[in-house]
């Protein structure tokens, strides 16, 4: 019985490497070379010919259109924060341990906790910071108020100046 199972499994595995039909070889050894031009759709195309390209500038709105634009707030996205936090148990579980008792590795625990803390930081910042695109640039704002929910009484407050550069956290589209 085992020999039959082994023979059937070998037959199914090796059948993937055998061609379905064998074509007869041409009588001429150089048949492929002397047959002329191959009949495919890329053989008639010319070789590479460099062309000069000029970038097409995007249409810039004029002053009137720019004044009519509304500010846009990007919705929060927690996928990156959740991804870092979910890496924590995977790093702890899959990092090799050299402990004879089979306990978790100290390096794995430290690496997992680092990812968990970084994910928590990203989660909190995503919860309380918004990027607002205005008419001529974008700026980061903090959400203040009850529940950090803009629809239920919270408001946007300009972030404090950048303590390193001493400037506002605002970037104009012309400087990017």
């Amino acid at each position: 019985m085992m020999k039959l199972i082994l023979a059937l499994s070998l037959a199914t595995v090796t059948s993937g490497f055998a061609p379905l039909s064998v074509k007869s070889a041409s009588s001429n050894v150089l048949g492929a070379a002397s047959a002329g031009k191959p009949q495919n759709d890329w053989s008639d195309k010319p070789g590479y010919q460099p062309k000069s390209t000029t970038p097409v500038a995007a249409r810039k709105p004029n002053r009137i259109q720019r004044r009519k634009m509304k500010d846009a707030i990007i919705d929060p996205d927690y996928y990156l924060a959740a991804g870092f936090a979910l890496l924590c148990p995977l790093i702890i579980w899959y990092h090799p341990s050299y402990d004879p008792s089979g306990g978790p590795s100290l390096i794995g625990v430290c690496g997992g906790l680092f990812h968990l803390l970084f994910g928590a930081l990203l989660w909190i910042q995503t919860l309380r910071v918004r990027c607002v695109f205005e008419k001529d640039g974008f700026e980061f704002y903090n959400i203040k108020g009850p529940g950090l929910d803009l629809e239920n009484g919270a408001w946007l407050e300009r972030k404090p100046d950048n303590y390193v550069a001493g400037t506002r956290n605002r970037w104009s589209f012309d400087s990017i």
Side-chain angles (χ1 to χ4, degrees), residues 12-170:
T12 57
V13 168
T14 57
S15 66
F17 298 108
L20 296 177
S21 63
V22 178
K23 296 180 181 178
S24 63
S26 65
S27 59
N28 186 358
V29 176
L30 300 174
S34 64
K37 202 174 198 181
Q39 298 299 321
N40 50 34
D41 52 339
W42 55 266
S43 61
D44 294 331
K45 293 184 180 178
Y48 174 73
Q49 297 172 351
K51 298 177 184 176
S52 66
T53 59
T54 56
V56 178
R59 184 186 63 84
K60 285 190 170 183
N62 59 26
R63 289 183 184 176
I64 296 171
Q65 291 172 334
R66 189 173 285 172
R67 292 200 184 274
K68 290 182 181 179
M69 286 182 181
K70 294 181 180 179
D71 294 346
I73 300 175
I74 296 180
D75 293 330
D77 187 12
Y78 295 94
Y79 284 111
L80 185 64
F84 270 100
L86 290 176
L87 280 176
C88 171
L90 293 174
I91 291 171
I92 292 173
W93 183 263
Y94 286 112
H95 195 277
S97 174
Y98 301 107
D99 186 15
S101 65
S105 168
L106 180 64
I107 295 173
V109 170
C110 291
L113 289 178
F114 172 77
H115 280 78
L116 181 66
L117 291 173
F118 188 65
L121 172 72
L122 290 177
W123 190 281
I124 291 169
Q125 292 296 79
T126 304
L127 184 67
R128 68 179 202 89
V129 175
R130 293 291 177 270
C131 181
V132 178
F133 286 90
E134 298 168 344
K135 295 172 183 64
D136 57 346
F138 71 94
E139 187 169 359
F140 289 108
Y141 286 88
N142 285 333
I143 298 178
K144 301 287 183 173
L148 299 178
D149 188 10
L150 292 174
E151 296 175 357
N152 294 327
W155 64 92
L156 291 175
E157 185 176 284
R158 180 169 286 134
K159 287 184 73 69
D161 290 345
N162 189 331
Y163 67 92
V164 175
T167 60
R168 289 177 45 195
N169 287 315
R170 176 178 174 72

